[in-house]
């Protein structure tokens, strides 16, 4: 059972597995441009999914992955939420992470459905972390059972560094 603040929640879509090729997406960047996996071709990707950038755990998750992986060769950290692009841009500026890649699934929730993360009851995204190799193969993933919990940062970072 998956919960948010101890209350059960359900999801639209099917959870992915290690070894799957990550579904492509079209998400909105802070400048309102559209971004897809092709925009990050040839790079290792950490897709850090958060319910809302304006909460303490989401803030910490976004900061930690961006700070710890900033100097990792050929790697991009992509934070995805349903926050409006304007809120994501404001958060990046306030956090001093102007180079952070934040993308919004606000428009049609297609990312949430494709990755098995759209919370039916709230139309927010569940908390998860995906590590993709340069060919978009999922090498590590974590779907959290309680949305208020932190992901296993050490395991995700180690997974990124293990991708050859």
């Amino acid at each position: 059972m998956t919960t948010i603040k101890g209350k059960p929640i359900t999801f639209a879509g099917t959870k992915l597995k290690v070894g799957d090729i990550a579904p492509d997406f079209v998400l909105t960047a802070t400048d309102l441009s559209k971004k897809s996996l092709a925009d990050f071709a040839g790079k290792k990707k950490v897709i850090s999914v958060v319910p809302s950038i304006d909460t303490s755990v989401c803030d910490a998750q976004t900061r930690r992955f961006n700070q710890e992986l900033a100097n990792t060769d050929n790697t991009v950290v992509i934070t995805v939420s349903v926050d409006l692009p304007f809120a994501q841009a404001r958060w990046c500026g306030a956090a001093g992470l102007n180079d952070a890649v934040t993308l919004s699934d606000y428009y049609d929730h297609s990312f949430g459905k494709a990755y098995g993360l759209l919370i039916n009851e709230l139309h927010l995204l569940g908390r998860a972390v995906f590590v993709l190799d340069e060919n978009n193969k999922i090498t590590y993933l974590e779907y959290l059972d309680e949305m208020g919990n932190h992901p296993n940062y050490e395991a995700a970072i180690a997974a990124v560094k293990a991708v050859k």
Side-chain angles (χ1 to χ4, degrees):
M1 176 175 61
T2 304
T3 59
I4 189 164
K5 296 184 179 178
K7 295 182 181 179
I9 53 175
T10 61
F11 295 91
T14 303
K15 289 183 177 181
L16 302 171
K17 304 178 301 301
V18 169
D20 287 348
I21 299 299
D24 200 2
F25 53 72
V26 176
L27 295 170
T28 307
T30 57
D31 64 0
L32 301 182
S33 65
K34 299 298 183 184
K35 298 289 184 188
S36 71
L37 278 174
D39 290 295
F40 310 101
K43 293 186 178 228
K44 296 184 282 186
K45 297 154 209 72
V46 177
I47 302 177
S48 174
V49 187
V50 298
S52 176
I53 199 80
D54 284 320
T55 64
S56 61
V57 177
C58 300
D59 176 287
Q61 180 175 332
T62 304
R63 285 177 191 271
R64 181 136 181 212
F65 283 130
N66 276 280
Q67 290 167 345
E68 290 204 30
L69 295 169
N71 297 316
T72 305
D73 286 340
N74 200 37
T75 302
V76 62
V77 175
I78 303 165
T79 299
V80 179
S81 72
V82 295
D83 294 300
L84 291 176
F86 314 110
Q88 292 175 335
R90 178 188 40 74
W91 181 90
C92 289
L97 293 172
N98 294 318
D99 294 330
V101 177
T102 57
L103 301 177
S104 179
D105 191 28
Y106 83 95
Y107 186 74
D108 62 5
H109 304 301
S110 59
F111 174 91
K113 293 170 189 169
Y115 283 70
L117 286 167
L118 181 63
I119 302 171
N120 290 315
E121 293 81 2
L122 302 170
H123 286 256
L124 296 173
L125 299 179
R127 186 177 314 284
V129 179
F130 302 86
V131 174
L132 313 181
D133 68 11
E134 294 90 341
N135 299 308
N136 299 326
K137 181 178 176 183
I138 299 171
T139 63
Y140 171 89
L141 63 76
E142 180 183 11
Y143 286 95
L144 278 86
D145 290 332
E146 165 54 49
M147 295 304 104
N149 291 344
H150 288 267
N152 185 336
Y153 298 110
E154 292 80 13
I157 291 165
V160 172
K161 293 181 178 181
V163 174
K164 300 295 180 205

